[in-house]
mmCIF file of all heavy atoms in Angstrom:
data_model
loop_
_atom_site.group_PDB
_atom_site.id
_atom_site.type_symbol
_atom_site.label_atom_id
_atom_site.label_comp_id
_atom_site.label_asym_id
_atom_site.label_seq_id
_atom_site.Cartn_x
_atom_site.Cartn_y
_atom_site.Cartn_z
ATOM 1 N N LEU A 336 281.656 86.053 102.922
ATOM 2 C CA LEU A 336 281.444 84.743 102.321
ATOM 3 C C LEU A 336 280.856 83.767 103.340
ATOM 4 O O LEU A 336 279.931 83.006 103.026
ATOM 5 C CB LEU A 336 282.765 84.209 101.764
ATOM 6 C CG LEU A 336 282.718 82.838 101.080
ATOM 7 C CD1 LEU A 336 281.746 82.862 99.898
ATOM 8 C CD2 LEU A 336 284.105 82.413 100.630
ATOM 9 N N ARG A 337 281.385 83.793 104.577
ATOM 10 C CA ARG A 337 280.867 82.897 105.621
ATOM 11 C C ARG A 337 279.414 83.208 105.949
ATOM 12 O O ARG A 337 278.593 82.310 106.116
ATOM 13 C CB ARG A 337 281.737 83.007 106.878
ATOM 14 C CG ARG A 337 283.052 82.242 106.794
ATOM 15 C CD ARG A 337 283.690 82.108 108.167
ATOM 16 N NE ARG A 337 284.092 83.405 108.680
ATOM 17 C CZ ARG A 337 285.298 83.936 108.505
ATOM 18 N NH1 ARG A 337 286.207 83.278 107.801
ATOM 19 N NH2 ARG A 337 285.590 85.115 109.006
ATOM 20 N N LEU A 338 279.092 84.508 106.047
ATOM 21 C CA LEU A 338 277.711 84.896 106.324
ATOM 22 C C LEU A 338 276.767 84.409 105.230
ATOM 23 O O LEU A 338 275.658 83.935 105.497
ATOM 24 C CB LEU A 338 277.616 86.420 106.451
ATOM 25 C CG LEU A 338 278.168 87.034 107.739
ATOM 26 C CD1 LEU A 338 278.120 88.559 107.664
ATOM 27 C CD2 LEU A 338 277.365 86.545 108.955
ATOM 28 N N CYS A 339 277.237 84.513 103.983
ATOM 29 C CA CYS A 339 276.422 84.057 102.859
ATOM 30 C C CYS A 339 276.206 82.543 102.940
ATOM 31 O O CYS A 339 275.098 82.047 102.726
ATOM 32 C CB CYS A 339 277.078 84.442 101.543
ATOM 33 S SG CYS A 339 276.160 83.934 100.078
ATOM 34 N N CYS A 340 277.302 81.817 103.235
ATOM 35 C CA CYS A 340 277.199 80.352 103.341
ATOM 36 C C CYS A 340 276.244 79.940 104.459
ATOM 37 O O CYS A 340 275.407 79.044 104.286
ATOM 38 C CB CYS A 340 278.578 79.745 103.567
ATOM 39 S SG CYS A 340 279.678 79.894 102.139
ATOM 40 N N TRP A 341 276.382 80.622 105.631
ATOM 41 C CA TRP A 341 275.482 80.307 106.736
ATOM 42 C C TRP A 341 274.040 80.644 106.369
ATOM 43 O O TRP A 341 273.099 79.943 106.768
ATOM 44 C CB TRP A 341 275.901 81.060 107.998
ATOM 45 C CG TRP A 341 277.055 80.428 108.712
ATOM 46 C CD1 TRP A 341 278.306 80.930 108.871
ATOM 47 C CD2 TRP A 341 277.048 79.153 109.365
ATOM 48 N NE1 TRP A 341 279.097 80.053 109.562
ATOM 49 C CE2 TRP A 341 278.341 78.943 109.897
ATOM 50 C CE3 TRP A 341 276.087 78.163 109.556
ATOM 51 C CZ2 TRP A 341 278.700 77.812 110.592
ATOM 52 C CZ3 TRP A 341 276.448 77.019 110.256
ATOM 53 C CH2 TRP A 341 277.726 76.850 110.765
ATOM 54 N N GLY A 342 273.851 81.717 105.625
ATOM 55 C CA GLY A 342 272.513 82.087 105.187
ATOM 56 C C GLY A 342 271.902 81.034 104.283
ATOM 57 O O GLY A 342 270.718 80.684 104.397
ATOM 58 N N ILE A 343 272.723 80.500 103.366
ATOM 59 C CA ILE A 343 272.243 79.454 102.457
ATOM 60 C C ILE A 343 271.910 78.183 103.227
ATOM 61 O O ILE A 343 270.876 77.536 102.988
ATOM 62 C CB ILE A 343 273.308 79.179 101.369
ATOM 63 C CG1 ILE A 343 273.466 80.394 100.455
ATOM 64 C CG2 ILE A 343 272.924 77.940 100.550
ATOM 65 C CD1 ILE A 343 274.594 80.271 99.465
ATOM 66 N N ILE A 344 272.804 77.842 104.192
ATOM 67 C CA ILE A 344 272.550 76.642 105.008
ATOM 68 C C ILE A 344 271.260 76.794 105.808
ATOM 69 O O ILE A 344 270.437 75.871 105.897
ATOM 70 C CB ILE A 344 273.745 76.378 105.952
ATOM 71 C CG1 ILE A 344 274.979 75.971 105.134
ATOM 72 C CG2 ILE A 344 273.397 75.297 106.974
ATOM 73 C CD1 ILE A 344 276.250 75.896 105.944
ATOM 74 N N ALA A 345 271.068 77.986 106.400
ATOM 75 C CA ALA A 345 269.862 78.228 107.198
ATOM 76 C C ALA A 345 268.616 78.158 106.324
ATOM 77 O O ALA A 345 267.584 77.596 106.730
ATOM 78 C CB ALA A 345 269.959 79.595 107.878
ATOM 79 N N ALA A 346 268.708 78.727 105.105
ATOM 80 C CA ALA A 346 267.560 78.705 104.195
ATOM 81 C C ALA A 346 267.232 77.268 103.792
ATOM 82 O O ALA A 346 266.062 76.878 103.724
ATOM 83 C CB ALA A 346 267.856 79.566 102.969
ATOM 84 N N CYS A 347 268.275 76.470 103.519
ATOM 85 C CA CYS A 347 268.058 75.060 103.143
ATOM 86 C C CYS A 347 267.440 74.273 104.305
ATOM 87 O O CYS A 347 266.544 73.438 104.111
ATOM 88 C CB CYS A 347 269.374 74.429 102.714
ATOM 89 S SG CYS A 347 270.020 75.066 101.149
ATOM 90 N N ALA A 348 267.928 74.545 105.541
ATOM 91 C CA ALA A 348 267.399 73.847 106.714
ATOM 92 C C ALA A 348 265.932 74.206 106.932
ATOM 93 O O ALA A 348 265.098 73.342 107.237
ATOM 94 C CB ALA A 348 268.220 74.209 107.946
ATOM 95 N N ALA A 349 265.614 75.503 106.758
ATOM 96 C CA ALA A 349 264.227 75.933 106.935
ATOM 97 C C ALA A 349 263.325 75.306 105.890
ATOM 98 O O ALA A 349 262.201 74.872 106.186
ATOM 99 C CB ALA A 349 264.152 77.460 106.864
ATOM 100 N N ALA A 350 263.818 75.242 104.647
ATOM 101 C CA ALA A 350 263.016 74.631 103.584
ATOM 102 C C ALA A 350 262.806 73.151 103.852
ATOM 103 O O ALA A 350 261.695 72.617 103.656
ATOM 104 C CB ALA A 350 263.723 74.842 102.242
ATOM 105 N N SER A 351 263.854 72.464 104.341
ATOM 106 C CA SER A 351 263.736 71.032 104.649
ATOM 107 C C SER A 351 262.742 70.799 105.778
ATOM 108 O O SER A 351 261.935 69.861 105.741
ATOM 109 C CB SER A 351 265.114 70.455 105.035
ATOM 110 O OG SER A 351 266.017 70.578 103.962
ATOM 111 N N TYR A 352 262.797 71.671 106.789
ATOM 112 C CA TYR A 352 261.869 71.539 107.923
ATOM 113 C C TYR A 352 260.429 71.740 107.469
ATOM 114 O O TYR A 352 259.513 71.009 107.863
ATOM 115 C CB TYR A 352 262.240 72.563 108.996
ATOM 116 C CG TYR A 352 261.350 72.522 110.212
ATOM 117 C CD1 TYR A 352 261.543 71.566 111.204
ATOM 118 C CD2 TYR A 352 260.306 73.441 110.351
ATOM 119 C CE1 TYR A 352 260.723 71.520 112.314
ATOM 120 C CE2 TYR A 352 259.482 73.401 111.460
ATOM 121 C CZ TYR A 352 259.697 72.443 112.449
ATOM 122 O OH TYR A 352 258.875 72.398 113.542
ATOM 123 N N LEU A 353 260.232 72.745 106.593
ATOM 124 C CA LEU A 353 258.894 73.034 106.104
ATOM 125 C C LEU A 353 258.349 71.881 105.265
ATOM 126 O O LEU A 353 257.203 71.446 105.438
ATOM 127 C CB LEU A 353 258.909 74.326 105.288
ATOM 128 C CG LEU A 353 257.574 74.756 104.663
ATOM 129 C CD1 LEU A 353 256.528 74.997 105.755
ATOM 130 C CD2 LEU A 353 257.764 76.002 103.806
ATOM 131 N N ILE A 354 259.191 71.376 104.373
ATOM 132 C CA ILE A 354 258.764 70.262 103.525
ATOM 133 C C ILE A 354 258.495 69.023 104.361
ATOM 134 O O ILE A 354 257.498 68.298 104.170
ATOM 135 C CB ILE A 354 259.844 69.973 102.448
ATOM 136 C CG1 ILE A 354 259.934 71.146 101.469
ATOM 137 C CG2 ILE A 354 259.534 68.687 101.694
ATOM 138 C CD1 ILE A 354 261.097 71.050 100.501
ATOM 139 N N GLY A 355 259.365 68.763 105.363
ATOM 140 C CA GLY A 355 259.160 67.616 106.260
ATOM 141 C C GLY A 355 257.864 67.733 107.029
ATOM 142 O O GLY A 355 257.133 66.767 107.215
ATOM 143 N N GLY A 356 257.561 68.967 107.513
ATOM 144 C CA GLY A 356 256.314 69.179 108.243
ATOM 145 C C GLY A 356 255.086 68.925 107.398
ATOM 146 O O GLY A 356 254.098 68.332 107.834
ATOM 147 N N LEU A 357 255.153 69.378 106.125
ATOM 148 C CA LEU A 357 254.031 69.155 105.216
ATOM 149 C C LEU A 357 253.819 67.682 104.952
ATOM 150 O O LEU A 357 252.684 67.199 104.908
ATOM 151 C CB LEU A 357 254.270 69.920 103.912
ATOM 152 C CG LEU A 357 254.205 71.448 103.999
ATOM 153 C CD1 LEU A 357 254.645 72.082 102.692
ATOM 154 C CD2 LEU A 357 252.803 71.921 104.387
#
Side-chain angles (χ1 to χ4, degrees):
L336 181 59
R337 282 194 294 268
L338 286 175
C339 180
C340 292
W341 281 113
I343 293 173
I344 292 171
C347 291
S351 298
Y352 180 80
L353 178 61
I354 293 172
L357 291 172

